[in-house]
Amino acid sequence: MRGAIFDMDGLLIDSEKLWQGEWHAIAAEMGITLPDTFARDMCGTGGEQTRAVIRDYYHTDDPAAILQACTERVHALQRAGVPLKPGVETILKGLRGEGCRIAVASSSPMDMIERNLRNNGVFSYFDVLTSGSEVAHCKPEPDIFLLAAKRLGVPPEECWVFEDSLNGVEAGYRAGCRAVMVPDMVEPNARAKETCWCICRDLNEAWERIRA
């Protein structure tokens, strides 16, 4: 395997809890209680899919306004710094030491990707950054991983994909990559267990598994 592609929120940085906190806070301000299924349906989405989830759960005809409000709140929180998830530096150093080319493929805006990586001192590990705004279809479609692999110059079948969400795992599988799930807010379902190369508790375990 010559390439490795990482999601960001909930996988590299411990930010998914911030997003979920603000989604729930906005809902509460609107007199809405979000059910447990919201995290499953929202995590790993982007673009029109995100707006569709908001439309369904918030019962609104203006999902873009809610998305903008949540994004602004999370941006403000992230400026104070968001810690790395366990094992990030271990796996990045290990992959780099083996000559692997490394990318981020995140649904987040590019400025947010760059800021979070720089603030945590890991920006230099990545050869390529890819944002969901750069592709026509967001996860679970494979577009973002195919673009990341193309920019890395590595065939998708020679790339690891590291993801915490069901949509992300599905996108990696559809891209023809070898998917590794590290669950954060959402537990793996039957489909993820079928399509993932392995499911790990954190990136320390993922590194141990892929180098074995």
Side-chain angles (χ1 to χ4, degrees):
M1 304 295 280
R2 299 190 290 120
I5 308 173
F6 290 83
D7 178 46
M8 183 181 69
D9 290 296
L11 188 281
L12 290 175
I13 63 170
D14 199 11
S15 55
E16 198 60 61
K17 295 179 180 66
L18 298 181
W19 283 101
Q20 289 299 318
E22 295 309 312
W23 288 127
H24 281 264
I26 291 171
E29 292 162 14
M30 298 171 64
I32 296 169
T33 299
L34 296 175
D36 292 342
T37 55
F38 176 79
R40 179 200 66 198
D41 291 344
M42 178 59 79
C43 288
T45 66
E48 181 52 39
Q49 187 181 11
T50 298
R51 291 188 288 273
V53 173
I54 295 170
R55 188 179 295 111
D56 289 344
Y57 279 91
Y58 290 80
H59 314 294
T60 179
D61 293 326
D62 190 12
I66 294 175
L67 175 59
Q68 180 177 352
C70 189
T71 301
E72 289 174 355
R73 293 185 185 199
V74 173
H75 271 235
L77 292 170
Q78 288 190 351
R79 290 189 188 98
V82 185
L84 293 174
K85 297 282 284 184
V88 171
E89 291 188 89
T90 296
I91 196 168
L92 292 177
K93 287 178 181 177
L95 289 167
R96 179 63 72 206
E98 293 192 351
C100 198
R101 289 179 57 76
I102 308 174
V104 165
S106 170
S107 300
S108 292
M110 186 63 78
D111 62 335
M112 185 181 287
I113 297 171
E114 292 185 1
R115 181 173 64 248
N116 283 322
L117 298 180
R118 290 186 187 278
N119 286 349
N120 282 289
V122 295
F123 181 84
S124 62
Y125 284 106
F126 296 95
D127 302 290
V128 166
L129 303 180
T130 310
S131 169
S133 63
E134 299 181 281
V135 294
H137 304 100
C138 294
K139 305 169 188 176
E141 297 303 318
D143 301 32
I144 194 168
F145 292 127
L146 293 173
L147 178 58
K150 181 179 179 180
R151 288 178 173 174
L152 286 174
V154 180
E157 61 270 20
E158 294 187 38
C159 289
W160 297 102
V161 159
F162 298 92
E163 268 284 357
D164 67 294
S165 73
L166 300 177
N167 283 323
V169 166
E170 181 67 20
Y173 176 77
R174 292 184 189 181
C177 302
R178 189 176 293 183
V180 175
M181 185 176 186
V182 182
D184 181 41
M185 301 293 292
V186 179
E187 291 301 310
N189 58 13
R191 173 67 176 174
K193 292 175 182 178
E194 175 187 342
T195 57
C196 284
W197 184 78
C198 69
I199 298 172
C200 302
R201 66 180 179 277
D202 58 29
L203 288 170
N204 284 312
E205 182 183 353
W207 172 238
E208 293 298 324
R209 293 288 299 275
I210 69 173
R211 72 171 186 169

